[in-house]
Amino acid sequence: MKSRQLATSYQHGVSLVVYRLSGASHPLPPHCDMDSCSSEEFYQAVHHAEQTFRKMESYLKQQQLCDVILIAGNRKIPAHRLVLSSVSDYFAAMFTSDVCEAKQEEIKMEGIDPNALWDLVQFAYTGCLELKEDTIENLLAAACLLQLPQVVEVCCHFLMKLLHPSNCLGIRAFADAQGCTELMKVAHNYTMENIMEVIRNQEFLLLPAEELHKLLASDDVNVPDEETIFHALMMWVKYDMQRRCNDLSMLLAYIRLPLLPPQILADLENHVLFKDDLECQKLILEAMKYHLLPERRTLMQSPRTKPRKSTVGTLYAVGGMDNNKGATTIEKYDLRTNIWIQAGVMNGRRLQFGVAVIDDKLFVIGGRDGLKTLNTVECYNPKTKAWTVLPPMSTHRHGLGVTVLEGPIYAVGGHDGWSYLNTVERWDPQSQQWTFVASMSIARSTVGVAALNGKLYSVGGRDGSSCLSSMEYYDPHTNKWNMCAPMCKRRGGVGVATCDGFLYAVGGHDAPASNHCSRLLDYVERYDPKTDTWTMVAPLSMPRDAVGVCLLGDRLYAVGGYDGQTYLNTMEAYDPQTNEWTQMASLNIGRAGACVVVIKQP
């Protein structure tokens, strides 16, 4: 039988008792228990490595047993090859390979700061480093050369803490040169986030043209509008006009000139910096055509017509049905960070209501609270997070459509708790009053509405007996409704939005509420008002009833909805140029019938 041998191990100052089985079989002598007859012990000294390195450090200080001298600049640093090799892969390769340095007593260290080399040799013996702002870059460069990953990591984290608008461009360039990808990423993100402060600092004005163009080309710079980036370029050029004029046309190509206000473009044409530069004149002309010929914009798409992420505004999802029979929270989505965060809470539960935006404020209109249909109106200011009660509509409405057209808000159709409605009310922001306008030709609840080319479109919905494929538009100048070509599909709970002169109808259902679970729609179709025709485009990735749809930048976003089993928290974006849907960041909770709108600033 195998006997057990007792081993006592001391690791990190803790005594451990370890039993082992020996390979041979030895019977125990009479009257001898197993523990007292153990014939082997395993001993490990506490702090052995630390004490050994401390002894080697004392040899270094006394320059005893040193077998190599490192020369950096005018400084000679004695050391022990074994110690250097045990810490640095660079020295290990040097001293264990068949290279001339392996046998040399003195080794010249090119391209390394003498003080940084001394600090790292000390680190090899002690494991200690002093990090200072004025020497950290030399230390990191030396650590990268000598392949000291631990030191590289702590130096990078130290530099991350030092990031400031006045130094982030320099740190980013330094990290790139050293191949420190994580530091470069953090410095780059910091630069993008704080670009408004960065462009006011000397580092920005000293950027070489090839580095500046990377900034100008980025979608992620956190600016309120394209003007900001244009003025930053002009400031950079004027800092050294004589030399930098040659780079102007190359850099101006990264400014999204078509997105600048037309009055700025008009001033540029005869500007002293641009009037004699043919390439600059071409770019200015391209931008002017974009403004002068809006009907041709779909044919003029280019990287210069794509808005930067921070300039498109913030997407808000308000309320909706959730697993708790009605969400009261408001979430907002930032395209640049691709994250949804909570932005507010409604005063109470509302379902099948409408939301419009005026002056960066949310107007929450009608709906039902679970018991009764509402005519109440509230205004939410995202900046102050304050709610204001406004005069109610004349009619109680849920399932209504809401949009803004040429200033006023329109509340369209819906259900008053008893019957389906074809009436329409208009809110005047100046007089703060609701008035009726012409009624639709068809009563519509769960209707989609959108403003396009000065007209109000009312799309699909339900009239009590079935879902509708019909669409009609309202002209505020004649106060009349006119029928349009019907959609390819009947749709209640349809999401509607406009983009590039087209109107899109997204998702919904095509049967009465009592029997629509199996007939939810993933179909998407596009209406062209010039030809009065509908065209099917790429479908959603899944069916979405009561989906929120909104234009953010140059893409349509379909938010939440109901798939027959689940209140969805997913979101997807449609690119009209590629005719493709892409999954984006998910909401924090599933929502169907959430009102989805964009606010430009908050």
Side-chain angles (χ1 to χ4, degrees):
M1 119 184 188
K2 292 183 178 180
S3 67
R4 289 195 300 171
Q5 296 177 339
L6 176 66
T8 306
S9 173
Y10 297 93
Q11 296 181 357
H12 307 296
V14 180
S15 177
L16 303 174
V17 179
V18 182
Y19 288 96
R20 296 203 196 104
L21 289 175
S22 71
S25 176
H26 297 291
L28 293 174
H31 313 296
C32 180
D33 66 29
M34 182 178 64
D35 289 344
S36 60
C37 292
S38 176
S39 58
E40 293 184 14
E41 283 192 2
F42 173 75
Y43 168 75
Q44 181 173 325
V46 181
H47 307 311
H48 173 76
E50 185 181 336
Q51 291 168 354
T52 302
F53 268 91
R54 197 172 292 149
K55 186 68 176 175
M56 286 189 272
E57 183 193 1
S58 71
Y59 285 138
L60 178 68
K61 287 178 179 175
Q62 295 162 26
Q63 297 191 19
Q64 292 180 324
L65 303 179
C66 296
D67 55 4
V68 68
I69 294 174
L70 306 177
I71 302 173
N74 295 323
R75 188 161 190 175
K76 292 189 174 184
I77 302 169
H80 303 90
R81 293 171 194 261
L82 183 61
V83 175
L84 298 181
S85 301
S86 66
V87 175
S88 162
D89 289 344
Y90 175 89
F91 283 123
M94 177 185 287
F95 296 142
T96 60
S97 302
D98 188 20
V99 293
C100 59
E101 286 90 349
K103 298 177 177 61
Q104 289 176 354
E105 287 188 13
E106 293 191 348
I107 298 171
K108 279 195 171 184
M109 303 293 294
E110 301 290 350
I112 191 167
D113 179 78
N115 295 327
L117 179 61
W118 168 251
D119 288 341
L120 293 176
V121 168
Q122 292 293 305
F123 172 79
Y125 289 84
T126 65
C128 297
L129 267 176
E130 188 176 11
L131 307 178
K132 296 179 181 177
E133 186 174 350
D134 55 347
T135 59
I136 189 68
E137 289 192 354
N138 286 336
L139 192 63
L140 176 54
C144 289
L145 176 67
L146 301 182
Q147 298 173 44
L148 296 164
Q150 269 186 311
V151 178
V152 169
E153 185 178 352
V154 296
C155 288
C156 285
H157 280 100
F158 185 79
L159 278 169
M160 288 175 196
K161 295 176 190 173
L162 296 178
L163 281 168
H164 184 270
S166 64
N167 65 22
C168 56
L169 289 170
I171 290 175
R172 188 184 71 159
F174 177 72
D176 187 24
Q178 298 301 324
C180 299
T181 53
E182 185 61 24
L183 175 59
M184 184 185 171
K185 180 182 173 183
V186 171
H188 175 77
N189 290 343
Y190 182 93
T191 302
M192 296 294 104
E193 178 67 31
N194 298 280
I195 192 70
M196 295 295 288
E197 290 79 28
V198 171
I199 60 180
R200 291 197 287 266
N201 279 276
Q202 183 82 353
E203 260 195 358
F204 174 77
L205 296 174
L206 297 176
L207 271 179
E210 58 271 19
E211 286 299 314
L212 178 60
H213 103 260
K214 293 177 188 176
L215 274 185
L216 300 180
S218 174
D219 277 341
D220 296 316
V221 285
N222 187 19
V223 291
D225 48 48
E226 194 63 23
E227 272 182 82
T228 303
I229 286 290
F230 171 71
H231 289 310
L233 169 60
M234 297 305 290
M235 188 168 60
W236 180 88
V237 171
K238 289 173 183 176
Y239 187 76
D240 189 356
M241 197 178 302
Q242 193 171 357
R243 295 181 183 177
R244 294 178 175 180
C245 278
N246 295 331
D247 297 313
L248 186 54
S249 60
M250 180 272 287
L251 295 170
L252 193 65
Y254 294 102
I255 301 294
R256 295 158 201 210
L257 291 178
L259 306 182
L260 289 179
Q263 57 268 31
I264 290 184
L265 294 173
D267 294 339
L268 290 187
E269 192 176 14
N270 296 312
H271 193 286
V272 63
L273 288 174
F274 304 112
K275 65 179 182 179
D276 296 324
D277 190 315
L278 184 59
E279 289 303 313
C280 288
Q281 287 294 316
K282 284 181 183 178
L283 292 168
I284 294 166
L285 181 60
E286 173 194 69
M288 286 180 165
K289 283 182 179 178
Y290 190 81
H291 282 276
L292 289 169
L293 304 168
E295 68 279 3
R296 296 191 193 174
R297 284 181 183 174
T298 52
L299 305 173
M300 299 181 187
Q301 296 300 307
S302 74
R304 284 186 286 276
T305 62
K306 181 182 176 65
R308 298 179 201 269
K309 293 175 182 177
S310 62
T311 65
V312 299
T314 304
L315 191 64
Y316 280 75
V318 185
M321 177 61 84
D322 66 353
N323 290 326
N324 296 316
K325 298 186 177 179
T328 57
T329 56
I330 301 170
E331 295 185 54
K332 69 177 181 179
Y333 170 75
D334 181 351
L335 179 59
R336 203 173 59 82
T337 59
N338 194 30
I339 293 172
W340 284 95
I341 60 171
Q342 185 163 323
V345 181
M346 293 196 293
N347 282 331
R349 184 168 61 171
R350 284 183 194 248
L351 302 169
Q352 294 184 294
F353 60 102
V355 170
V357 176
I358 296 178
D359 294 332
D360 294 334
K361 298 181 180 69
L362 298 171
F363 288 73
V364 178
I365 301 165
R368 58 187 178 88
D369 62 7
L371 295 173
K372 60 185 183 297
T373 299
L374 307 171
N375 67 342
T376 54
V377 180
E378 294 179 288
C379 177
Y380 179 67
N381 186 334
K383 290 180 180 175
T384 62
K385 297 192 182 297
W387 286 93
T388 307
V389 176
L390 297 174
M393 294 182 291
S394 301
T395 308
H396 294 70
R397 302 173 188 268
H398 70 260
L400 72 163
V402 169
T403 195
V404 175
L405 175 62
E406 296 179 348
I409 298 173
Y410 288 78
V412 180
H415 195 283
D416 64 4
W418 302 97
S419 58
Y420 291 82
L421 303 172
N422 67 347
T423 58
V424 181
E425 297 182 56
R426 178 168 62 195
W427 163 262
D428 185 332
Q430 271 70 48
S431 66
Q432 299 222 337
Q433 288 183 335
W434 288 96
T435 55
F436 283 101
V437 297
S439 295
M440 294 182 289
S441 59
I442 300 172
R444 301 173 187 269
S445 184
T446 69
V447 60
V449 299
L452 179 63
N453 299 334
K455 297 178 176 64
L456 171 64
Y457 286 82
S458 182
V459 185
R462 290 165 47 202
D463 65 0
S465 59
S466 66
C467 291
L468 304 169
S469 62
S470 62
M471 178 174 76
E472 50 190 310
Y473 74 84
Y474 172 75
D475 186 335
H477 302 289
T478 63
N479 192 33
K480 288 182 180 178
W481 286 89
N482 299 279
M483 296 303 295
C484 304
M487 293 181 288
C488 306
K489 301 288 181 182
R490 298 186 304 175
R491 300 172 188 266
V494 60
V496 174
T498 62
C499 178
D500 291 332
F502 297 101
L503 184 145
Y504 290 80
V506 180
H509 65 269
D510 68 351
S514 59
N515 185 33
H516 78 265
C517 290
S518 62
R519 301 176 69 179
L520 306 185
L521 302 179
D522 61 0
Y523 300 120
V524 181
E525 46 191 310
R526 180 180 69 198
Y527 176 74
D528 185 346
K530 293 193 290 291
T531 59
D532 190 31
T533 55
W534 288 92
T535 308
M536 299 297 290
V537 296
L540 295 160
S541 65
M542 64 185 77
R544 295 178 187 266
D545 186 20
V547 61
V549 180
C550 193
L551 178 69
L552 181 68
D554 58 353
R555 294 187 179 192
L556 289 175
Y557 286 74
V559 182
Y562 183 67
D563 66 359
Q565 295 181 318
T566 307
Y567 299 112
L568 301 170
N569 70 342
T570 55
M571 175 174 72
E572 47 192 309
Y574 176 73
D575 185 342
Q577 297 302 307
T578 62
N579 191 32
E580 291 178 338
W581 289 91
T582 305
Q583 291 294 323
M584 304 297 285
S586 292
L587 293 153
N588 291 301
I589 62 168
R591 301 170 185 263
C595 292
V596 180
V597 292
V598 168
I599 295 181
K600 280 297 179 186
Q601 290 303 325

